[in-house]
């Protein structure tokens, strides 16, 4: 049978019939690579019902033992995993190169080993002496972690089989090489095969595995998205390289809430936990500043207050700039359009810059109202009171939609010393709260409440 060729995206794994510059699946450029198709079975043969084994079926009401979780002793990591490590689970930790994945996982390995669990740390990127140097910096030399610097998957599996650790960390999956697959390490087929071998082998032996995956923009090596479906939990380590804050975010979790975040600070001696992120994401806020608004957000199960900063300036360009850090630029365009057509507040001829302070990324639509407030505040050079928070979703009609978990947001604001909140009507408020909650039906009345009538 003739072998045909397929084209596979190295970023998301989408399969294409022909080569293209841009992947339809994920929108990345230059990530599509040629790949020999796997040969199909003999023509005309299908799996019949004759040779299979009859499955044992069970009901939904069957009683299982509750999940036993092991704790890392790093609270923020345990929280993101949904309360600790589930035995025989597979976890993927993705992130940009240099963001701190190896640092985080070496610390996790050290603490886990100190808790009395057997941990194997396999690095395909650094020599054992380099890892020992890092461990010395992190104060982990006494932690009983077993180290190996290896990329050959067959040898790693043999070692896992002999050692039977509770946890194996593979840093990184893109450096692993499975000798039964005929392509270079880092290619889509190698990364898939290595991840499949490791996760299925570890599951059978009751070993938990953590796979490290580099996020790549250029498609030279396969990104972690091609193996997201194979693992139980997918965590991404985010942050700005120049910033010291790092956020570990669960984007998929079969054993806990998705979207939960853990917050860390990169210091000279490794990552330190930040247990009160709200205090950290708010910069000095004693005097009113125009363009700066505090958004009362929710990340996973935890309320987080963040500062949204906007700057609006006269533009000298034919098409003015729209620059966004930490938020979706499409969503910004939408808010600008709603402000213009529903409230008559135009931004034509003005450059608009929007920044979420602290290097956190916000995905919640509830930030709409805070963004709108920051934009109008910057445009009018009119500051909101510094002790107020804002949240609410804006619809295209200009109406404000109530937001989930309003109570938690308000409680967090009150806890951190804020005295007023601006939001949509029909939200559940906290009983006996000292917080002064201003509720509006739509964007027009919200803007009038905050800034008075705006003449154009
Ligand atoms: P690393 O964990 O090697 O990143 P990754 O595995 O995601 O590629 O982190 C590398 C960066 O972290 C490097 O630029 C140095 C910095 N770093 C510190 O600031 N403090 C530390 O204690 C350590 C170990 C690293
Ligand atoms: Mg690394």
């Amino acid at each position: 049978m003739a072998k045909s060729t397929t084209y596979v995206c190295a970023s998301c794994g989408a399969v294409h019939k022909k080569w293209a510059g841009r992947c339809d699946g994920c929108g990345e450029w230059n990530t599509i690579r040629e790949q020999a198709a796997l040969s199909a079975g003999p023509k005309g043969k299908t799996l019949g019902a004759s040779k299979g084994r009859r499955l044992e079926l069970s009901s939904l009401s069957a009683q299982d033992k509750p999940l036993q979780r092991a704790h890392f002793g790093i609270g923020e990591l345990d929280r993101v995993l949904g309360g600790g490590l589930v035995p025989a689970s597979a976890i993927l930790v993705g992130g940009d190169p240099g963001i701190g994945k190896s640092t985080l996982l070496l610390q996790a390995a050290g603490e886990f080993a100190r808790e009395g669990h057997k941990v194997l740390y396999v690095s395909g990127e650094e020599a054992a002496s380099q890892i020992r140097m890092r461990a010395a910096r992190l104060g982990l030399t006494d932690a009983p972690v077993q180290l190996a610097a290896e990329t050959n998957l067959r040898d790693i599996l043999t070692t896992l089989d002999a050692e039977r650790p509770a946890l194996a960390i593979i840093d990184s999956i893109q450096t692993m090489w499975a000798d039964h697959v005929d392509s270079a390490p880092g290619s889509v087929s190698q990364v898939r095969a290595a991840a499949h071998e490791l996760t299925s082998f570890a599951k059978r032996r009751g070993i938990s595995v953590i796979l490290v995956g580099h996020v790549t923009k250029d498609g030279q090596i396969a990104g972690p998205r091609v193996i997201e479906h194979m693992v139980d939990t997918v965590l991404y380590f985010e942050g700005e390289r120049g910033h010291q804050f790092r956020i570990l975010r669960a984007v998929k979790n079969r054993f806990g809430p998705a979207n939960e975040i853990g917050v860390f600070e990169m210091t000279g001696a490794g990552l330190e936990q930040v247990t009160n992120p709200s205090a950290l994401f708010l910069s000095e806020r004693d005097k009113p500043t125009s363009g700066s608004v505090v958004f009362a957000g929710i990340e996973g199960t935890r309320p987080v207050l963040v500062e949204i900063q906007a700057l609006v300036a006269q533009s000298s360009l034919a098409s003015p700039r729209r620059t966004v850090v930490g938020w979706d630029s499409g969503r910004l365009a939408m808010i600008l359009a709603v402000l213009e057509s529903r409230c008559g507040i135009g931004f034509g001829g003005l450059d608009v810059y929007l920044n979420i302070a602290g290097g956190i990324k916000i995905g919640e639509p509830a930030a709409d109202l805070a963004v709108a407030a920051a934009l109008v505040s910057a445009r009018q050079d009119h500051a909101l009171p510094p002790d107020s928070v804002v949240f609410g979703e804006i619809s295209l009609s200009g109406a404000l939609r109530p937001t989930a978990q309003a109570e938690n947001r308000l409680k967090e604001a009150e806890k951190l010393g804020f005295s007023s909140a601006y939001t949509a009507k029909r939200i559940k408020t906290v009983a006996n709260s000292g917080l002064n909650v201003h509720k509006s039906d739509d964007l027009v009345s919200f803007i009038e409440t905050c800034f008075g009538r705006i003449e154009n």
Side-chain angles (χ1 to χ4, degrees):
M1 209 180 79
K3 270 196 180 179
S4 58
T5 313
T6 52
Y7 295 86
V8 179
C9 171
S11 166
C12 68
V15 179
H16 302 266
K17 285 215 179 72
K18 58 183 197 314
W19 190 87
R22 182 167 185 264
C23 171
D24 291 337
C26 60
E28 292 290 339
W29 288 90
N30 285 328
T31 54
I32 295 182
R33 298 280 174 276
E34 188 176 329
Q35 185 182 307
L38 297 176
S39 52
K43 230 182 186 173
K45 271 209 173 171
T46 53
L47 282 180
S50 55
K51 296 221 181 79
R53 170 182 60 87
R54 185 159 175 186
L55 305 176
E56 226 175 88
L57 306 174
S58 64
S59 74
L60 286 175
S61 62
Q63 292 287 318
D64 292 311
K65 274 187 271 167
L67 283 179
Q68 294 289 329
R69 294 177 188 265
H71 297 284
F72 274 99
I74 300 179
E76 292 293 294
L77 178 59
D78 287 332
R79 163 201 285 276
V80 176
L81 290 172
L85 180 71
V86 174
S89 59
I91 298 163
L92 170 69
V93 177
D96 289 324
I99 203 75
K101 300 180 295 297
S102 303
T103 308
L104 174 72
L105 291 175
L106 190 58
Q107 283 183 268
E111 296 300 333
F112 203 58
R114 279 179 180 158
E115 301 268 317
H117 305 282
K118 189 164 175 178
V119 184
L120 206 73
Y121 185 99
V122 184
S123 176
E125 304 196 331
E126 291 163 299
S129 58
Q130 274 174 301
I131 302 168
R132 275 193 287 272
M133 245 162 62
R134 182 188 302 233
R137 252 179 95 178
L138 301 174
L140 290 170
T141 31
D142 64 318
V145 177
Q146 291 177 298
L147 269 190
E150 185 53 64
T151 58
N152 185 319
L153 195 62
R154 206 177 280 272
D155 297 348
I156 293 171
L157 294 182
T158 308
T159 313
L160 284 182
D161 197 23
E163 294 285 339
R164 300 289 171 103
L167 171 66
I169 296 173
I170 309 292
D171 187 3
S172 64
I173 191 67
Q174 284 116 338
T175 54
M176 294 297 135
W177 176 62
D179 55 20
H180 67 296
V181 176
D182 192 15
S183 56
S187 63
V188 172
S189 0
Q190 275 287 354
V191 168
R192 269 203 189 132
H196 174 74
E197 292 287 331
L198 276 163
T199 51
S200 53
F201 180 84
K203 279 238 146 75
R204 285 199 301 276
R205 298 289 188 275
I207 302 170
S208 297
V209 277
I210 299 184
L211 309 177
V212 174
H214 292 293
V215 171
T216 56
K217 299 278 183 285
D218 60 2
Q220 286 303 314
I221 55 173
R225 284 173 65 183
V226 300
I227 53 169
E228 277 184 355
H229 63 282
M230 282 184 216
V231 295
D232 301 308
T233 303
V234 177
L235 310 178
Y236 276 93
F237 207 33
E238 313 168 341
E240 303 285 324
R241 199 88 70 90
H243 262 290
Q244 70 271 43
F245 304 122
R246 299 283 182 274
I247 289 148
L248 187 65
R249 187 188 294 274
V251 297
K252 160 182 169 181
N253 196 351
R254 289 190 183 139
F255 306 118
N259 256 331
E260 193 65 86
I261 63 164
V263 186
F264 297 89
E265 184 175 353
M266 183 61 102
T267 68
L271 290 154
E272 268 171 30
Q273 308 187 62
V274 175
T275 42
N276 184 3
S278 293
L280 172 136
F281 293 129
L282 299 176
S283 50
E284 295 295 305
R285 301 191 48 81
D286 28 3
K287 64 177 185 341
T289 317
S290 68
S292 152
V293 168
V294 177
F295 165 53
I298 297 274
E299 294 290 341
T301 57
R302 147 200 263 188
V304 178
L305 303 190
V306 281
E307 185 186 343
I308 295 182
Q309 304 165 341
L311 180 67
V312 172
Q314 281 300 332
S315 179
S316 55
L317 302 169
S319 55
R321 264 177 204 282
R322 302 286 182 251
T323 306
V324 192
V325 179
W327 211 50
D328 180 42
S329 54
R331 198 102 196 156
L332 172 66
M334 190 194 101
I335 303 292
L336 289 173
V338 174
L339 281 171
E340 182 136 17
S341 53
R342 306 288 176 191
C343 313
I345 302 175
F347 288 82
L350 297 170
D351 287 335
V352 174
Y353 302 88
L354 189 79
N355 177 40
I356 312 297
I360 190 171
K361 287 196 184 76
I362 300 183
E364 266 197 294
D368 289 354
L369 196 59
V371 169
L375 292 169
V376 177
S377 161
R379 183 183 183 271
Q380 301 304 116
D381 194 16
H382 182 150
L384 275 186
D387 59 351
S388 57
V389 298
V390 181
F391 63 94
E393 185 179 341
I394 300 175
S395 66
L396 286 180
S397 65
L400 301 188
R401 293 211 193 103
T403 322
Q405 303 200 47
E407 260 182 293
N408 285 340
R409 299 173 200 262
L410 294 171
K411 272 188 200 150
E412 177 80 357
E414 194 172 3
K415 197 174 94 192
L416 285 161
F418 286 80
S419 58
S420 63
Y422 295 87
T423 182
K425 281 204 171 135
R426 289 179 287 133
I427 60 151
K428 260 204 207 131
T429 46
V430 196
N432 309 324
S433 154
L435 211 62
N436 188 4
V437 183
H438 306 268
K439 299 182 190 177
S440 314
D441 259 334
D442 54 25
L443 194 54
V444 174
S445 58
F446 164 77
I447 289 172
E448 212 173 299
T449 314
C450 294
F451 305 101
R453 198 169 283 278
I454 293 177
E455 305 297 337
N456 276 290

